[in-house]
Amino acid sequence: MALDHVSLGSTGLSVSELALGTWRFGRRLVDGEERYDAEGVVETDEDRAYELLDAYADAGGNFIDTADKYGDGRAERWIGNWLEDRDRLDYVIATKIHRPRREGDPNARGLNRRHLRRQIDTCLERLGTDYIDLLYCHRWDDDTPAEEFMRTLNGLVESGRVNYLGISSGRPDAWKIVKANEIARREGYEPFTVTQPRYNLVDREIDANYLPMCRDYGLGAVTWSPLAWGFLTGKYRRDDRNDESSTAAQDGRFADRYLTEENFDALEVLLEIADDIDATPAQVALAWQLHHPDITAPIVGASTVEQLTENLGAADVSLSAEQFERLSATFAGSE
Ligand SMILES: NC(=O)c1ccc[n+]([C@@H]2O[C@H](COP(=O)([O-])OP(=O)(O)OC[C@H]3O[C@@H](n4cnc5c(N)ncnc54)[C@H](OP(=O)(O)O)[C@@H]3O)[C@@H](O)[C@H]2O)c1
């Protein structure tokens, strides 16, 4: 497999067409809840994290996605350790700020000036670098005026600690990004040039407004959860929903969102196309995004090197225009 490079939105930066996600690095679950104040199950431990980073780099990948909150700081720290034996210049590191730094401290969260300035130093220290290639606001902050955070972010770029700015979305409100970039344009600040929305064949809420906004304003769209938390790999079965011993069924958020009759009906088409072109369902679901004119790079999540290798193989999968349209239309109808 050979990963190509694409332009990161309208910036001059080249990134791999598939980014590496690190959300599960050091993520600790206690009774199914993410917590760090008690012993629990670590989703991706430190050794596995280095294996995944090595495998991604060996495949020619350069675009690593993390966040200050992943694994309560462990993801950034482990990437920093890993970079010690590498050439920092070979990688484009994207991280995110927003989430609470200290529970109970109302100012150690969001996009207020104090938090952004303190937290960027924490990210740089953990990553062992003096610059972040791409800094995302992990979420919009309704409690901080956009003028305040756009000015502060501009200062981070001017100081050389950050090269490009992005904004990630939970609930995708296109108008907020347009508003922030209008402030940036008016004041001569650095604008957001990259967005990070959730997008996959099932989760298509950004089709209507958000992606057209990205297209019109030349914003990159780097997408999260491209495999719908694994649903699009085809490894779940219709009866998992009612199987009390199934981990998937126990996860209400996952089961309610993805394990529906409509989604399983649409999945049949994905499985059929995968079979026809001798690819895996995960590869076809990712290839659909690679063929999508408005998507810059999906962020690949993987729990094992085998999964990662399979997913990166999507770069070699070719879909016909008819297959692309069939997938788009089938899943759009399944929501
Ligand atoms: N900006 C944001 O708010 C935000 C939110 C979420 C994620 N992200 C970013 O996006 C990245 C990807 O998100 P995601 O982890 O939700 O992506 P995803 O691709 O939807 O799900 C990844 C999970 O699916 C399963 N999987 C992946 N490939 C597989 C394969 N080939 N065969 C079988 N199972 C497979 C694995 O879980 P199991 O092995 O457990 O089944 C894996 O951990 C994250 O790491 C993070 O960097 C950003």
Side-chain angles (χ1 to χ4, degrees):
M1 125 252 322
L3 289 181
D4 283 338
H5 290 117
V6 293
S7 291
L8 185 65
S10 53
T11 76
L13 206 62
S14 288
V15 294
S16 299
E17 59 190 328
L18 291 165
L20 177 69
T22 64
W23 174 35
R24 291 163 207 264
F25 284 17
R27 184 164 183 259
R28 188 185 297 164
L29 298 177
V30 181
D31 296 330
E33 292 294 317
E34 182 171 352
R35 281 175 47 191
Y36 297 93
D37 58 352
E39 291 300 311
V41 180
V42 175
E43 288 201 307
T44 300
D45 67 17
E46 190 168 358
D47 288 343
R48 175 63 54 78
Y50 297 141
E51 285 170 21
L52 289 166
L53 286 160
D54 282 343
Y56 178 69
D58 288 350
N62 77 347
F63 192 15
I64 298 172
D65 183 84
T66 191
D68 60 351
K69 73 167 292 246
Y70 290 172
D72 203 25
R74 288 167 187 78
E76 285 186 332
R77 178 88 56 209
W78 295 349
I79 293 167
N81 294 344
W82 179 80
L83 281 171
E84 279 177 17
D85 298 327
R86 302 260 168 180
D87 186 342
R88 166 72 180 88
L89 289 173
D90 287 341
Y91 301 97
V92 174
I93 307 292
T95 194
K96 316 183 193 79
I97 294 179
H98 182 287
R99 297 304 175 87
R101 176 185 162 119
R102 288 200 314 264
E103 294 296 341
D105 179 348
N107 292 313
R109 56 163 295 281
L111 303 178
N112 71 72
R113 180 166 303 147
R114 189 173 88 166
H115 185 57
L116 282 175
R117 286 186 175 162
R118 281 174 57 95
Q119 198 62 350
I120 193 72
D121 289 337
T122 305
C123 295
L124 290 169
E125 188 272 319
R126 286 183 191 146
L127 287 162
T129 182
D130 54 7
Y131 70 98
I132 306 289
D133 295 281
L134 169 60
L135 177 69
Y136 291 100
C137 298
H138 209 148
R139 291 289 182 270
W140 185 265
D141 179 359
D142 284 314
D143 297 328
T144 302
E147 283 81 0
E148 176 178 329
F149 61 73
M150 292 311 287
R151 185 171 176 193
T152 308
L153 290 167
N154 184 64
L156 299 183
V157 174
E158 294 209 319
S159 72
R161 283 177 288 175
V162 171
N163 283 342
Y164 297 101
L165 299 175
I167 174 120
S168 159
S169 307
R171 209 182 51 218
D173 287 327
W175 68 269
K176 293 181 175 174
I177 299 173
V178 173
K179 168 179 153 171
N181 275 1
E182 182 53 32
I183 292 168
R185 193 190 62 75
R186 192 178 69 221
E187 303 294 337
Y189 300 155
E190 179 73 15
F192 292 125
T193 44
V194 185
T195 61
Q196 189 176 126
R198 175 172 59 188
Y199 196 53
N200 57 61
L201 277 163
V202 177
D203 294 301
R204 301 279 289 284
E205 52 273 74
I206 65 171
D207 279 344
N209 289 305
Y210 195 99
L211 278 184
M213 171 207 58
C214 292
R215 191 187 318 139
D216 200 59
Y217 286 89
L219 294 167
V222 175
T223 54
W224 54 271
S225 296
L227 294 178
W229 287 349
F231 173 74
L232 292 167
T233 66
K235 68 182 175 184
Y236 297 103
R237 298 281 162 261
R238 284 180 199 261
D239 46 11
D240 283 353
R241 187 89 171 84
N242 307 315
D243 179 354
E244 286 182 9
S245 65
S246 151
T247 327
Q250 304 302 316
D251 183 339
R253 264 198 321 158
F254 175 79
D256 291 347
R257 186 164 194 96
Y258 298 119
L259 304 186
T260 67
E261 287 303 313
E262 296 76 15
N263 287 341
F264 277 110
D265 288 346
L267 191 67
E268 297 291 333
V269 172
L270 175 67
L271 299 180
E272 188 189 312
I273 292 176
D275 199 40
D276 285 351
I277 63 174
D278 208 16
T280 69
Q283 289 171 338
V284 174
L286 290 166
W288 175 78
Q289 297 215 32
L290 293 175
H291 284 65
H292 197 304
D294 295 329
I295 302 303
T296 306
I299 310 171
V300 169
S303 303
T304 63
V305 170
E306 291 69 29
Q307 288 182 1
L308 179 65
T309 306
E310 175 186 336
N311 297 350
L312 297 181
D316 293 333
V317 171
S318 216
L319 296 177
S320 68
E322 188 271 333
Q323 287 163 333
F324 177 85
E325 291 304 334
R326 194 166 164 225
L327 286 166
S328 304
T330 305
F331 277 90
S334 76
E335 274 190 293

